[in-house]
Each structure stands twice: as C-alpha cells, then as structure tokens.
C-alpha cells in the first residue's frame, strides 16, 4: 500500500473488523441496558483483536429503520460512550460509522474519543436508498474537520454504496472514485457488493484501484476466508463483519476462530 490509511499500520493489507452495535437507546428494537451493550461490544472487540485484525469500526448496525440524515442526540451520546469504552480498553485504531449517513456525527464522536477514522456511506453525489434519497455531505464534513483541527481523522468513503441504487443512469465507477477523492476529499474509498455480507465484484475493485492511484481502496462487504486471497492484487485493505460472526449472521457475536481463519489467509 503506497499511502496507508494510518501510518501506524504495518500490515500490507490491513483488516478492519466490524463492531456491529445492538439496538441503541431510542431505537425501536432496543432491549438492553447501556452496560449490557458495552459489555457485548467489548467482548466482540476482544475477539476481533485476539484473532488478529488491525483495526475496528463501530457502527449502529441494528438501529433500523435508519435516519436518512442527522441522527438524534441519544444516538450520538450512546455511540460516544461506547466508543470511549473501546478506546479505554484497547490500543487499536478505531473507526466510527453513523448510519445511515451522518458523517458529521461520526466526525464529532471520532474527534471526542480520539478515533482514527470515519466511514461515510455517501460522501459525494446522491443515492436512492430504503431511507429515501441520501445526499453527500463532503462540503460540511471537510470544513468541520478543518475547523476542529481533526485532520488526523481519516475519511473512508463508499462509492456506489451497498443497499442503494443510482439516481438516473449509473456512472462508471472510475468517475465516482475520482469525484470522491478529488472533489469530495476522501482519504480512501470503499467498494462493496449490493448488501451487507454480499460479495463484492472483483472487477469493480480492479477498476476502482486503477482510478484511485495511490489512494487506498478497501473492499467493504462479502469478504470471507475463502475469497480474501482473490482480492489481494487490487485491494489495499478489507472491512469485514459478517464472516466473523456466529453462523455468518451480522447481528451475532464475533467468533475468534472465524477471525483467525481469515487472517491466516493473509500471512
């Protein structure tokens, strides 16, 4: 990787393990107390890091149905509390993703707890999703990052993000990559399949990498122990969630042996 997402990462192909949060306070399906949620997240983080991942990504995965824009204060407060607990317990790069697309909240949380990166599903342009039209926030996020003095927080941005379709005729992925990096100011781009845990098209990754140049390109869905080696010629890193979970179900706990099995394929 010619320009690592984080200089401290020595791995040639870093793997970020997903911390899929249970439903948080305020979400329709919330059934656990904050102490119980934090305990679950810390156990997942421990399993991921014991298994060998290089970083973590905290995401309010089970807060469906998601807000299309800014999330309410209770979500930000809950995620900040959980992220701070992870940071206190583990010395590992942490990322924040506030679904469906609240990049400003993710940046605020990351800055407050000393996280290393955020993920933004739609940084540039607009996509049609189950939340309606989700529009890019690059103009706000980049200015806010500069105003906070938080330029060390890297922005990982999806192109043609999963669980969405293009508005109008789809564009070539090369154009989306170029706009996301050059006009949107992303530090890295993420290529995914059509949904959570669904395979990513290797040809899309190849084309994205050709367009991205030195900027990192990560594969953001569908990676398993049996497929990860196929992407090594093109991907600069991987974000993995479903493959690490019991039964391959995203909302289930992390199994350390599943993590070890995938990481062993990268050695």
């Amino acid at each position: 990787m010619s320009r690592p997402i984080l200089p401290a990462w020595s791995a040639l192909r870093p793997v970020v393990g997903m911390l899929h949060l249970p439903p948080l306070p305020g979400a329709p399906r919330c059934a656990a107390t904050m102490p119980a949620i934090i305990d679950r997240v810390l156990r997942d983080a421990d399993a991921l890091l014991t298994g060998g991942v290089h970083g973590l990504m905290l995401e309010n995965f089970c807060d469906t149905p998601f807000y299309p824009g800014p999330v309410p204060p209770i979500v930000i407060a809950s995620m900040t509390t959980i992220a701070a607990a992870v940071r206190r317990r583990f010395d590992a790069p942490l990322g924040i993703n506030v679904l469906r697309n609240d990049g400003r909240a993710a940046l605020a949380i990351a800055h407050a707890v000393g996280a290393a990166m955020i993920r933004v599903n739609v940084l540039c342009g607009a996509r049609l999703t189950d939340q309606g039209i989700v529009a890019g926030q690059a103009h706000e996020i980049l200015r806010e990052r500069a105003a906070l003095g938080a330029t060390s927080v890297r922005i990982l941005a999806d192109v043609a993000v999963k669980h969405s379709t293009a508005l109008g005729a789809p564009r070539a992925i090369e154009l989306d990559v170029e706009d996301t990096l050059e006009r949107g100011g992303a530090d890295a781009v993420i290529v995914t399949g059509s949904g959570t845990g669904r395979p990513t098209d290797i040809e899309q990754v190849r084309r994205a990498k050709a367009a991205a140049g030195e900027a990192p390109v990560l594969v953001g869905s569908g990676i398993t122990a049996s497929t990860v080696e196929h992407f090594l010629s093109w991907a600069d890193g991987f974000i993995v969630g479903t493959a690490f979970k019991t039964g391959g179900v995203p909302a289930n706990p992390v199994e350390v042996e599943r993590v070890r099995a995938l990481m062993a394929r990268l050695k």
Side-chain angles (χ1 to χ4, degrees), residues 189-216:
V189 296
I190 303 168
V191 183
T192 67
S194 60
T196 301
R198 295 174 186 168
T200 300
D201 184 346
I202 195 168
E203 176 62 13
Q204 291 290 90
V205 178
R206 185 195 68 78
R207 290 172 58 186
K209 184 57 190 172
E214 293 187 356

Side-chain angles (χ1 to χ4, degrees), residues 3 5 145 151 153-157 180-181 185-189 215-216:
R3 192 177 75 183
I5 303 166
R145 185 173 69 166
T151 53
V153 177
R154 304 296 183 94
I155 299 172
L156 283 54
T180 300
L181 292 170
D187 297 295
V189 296

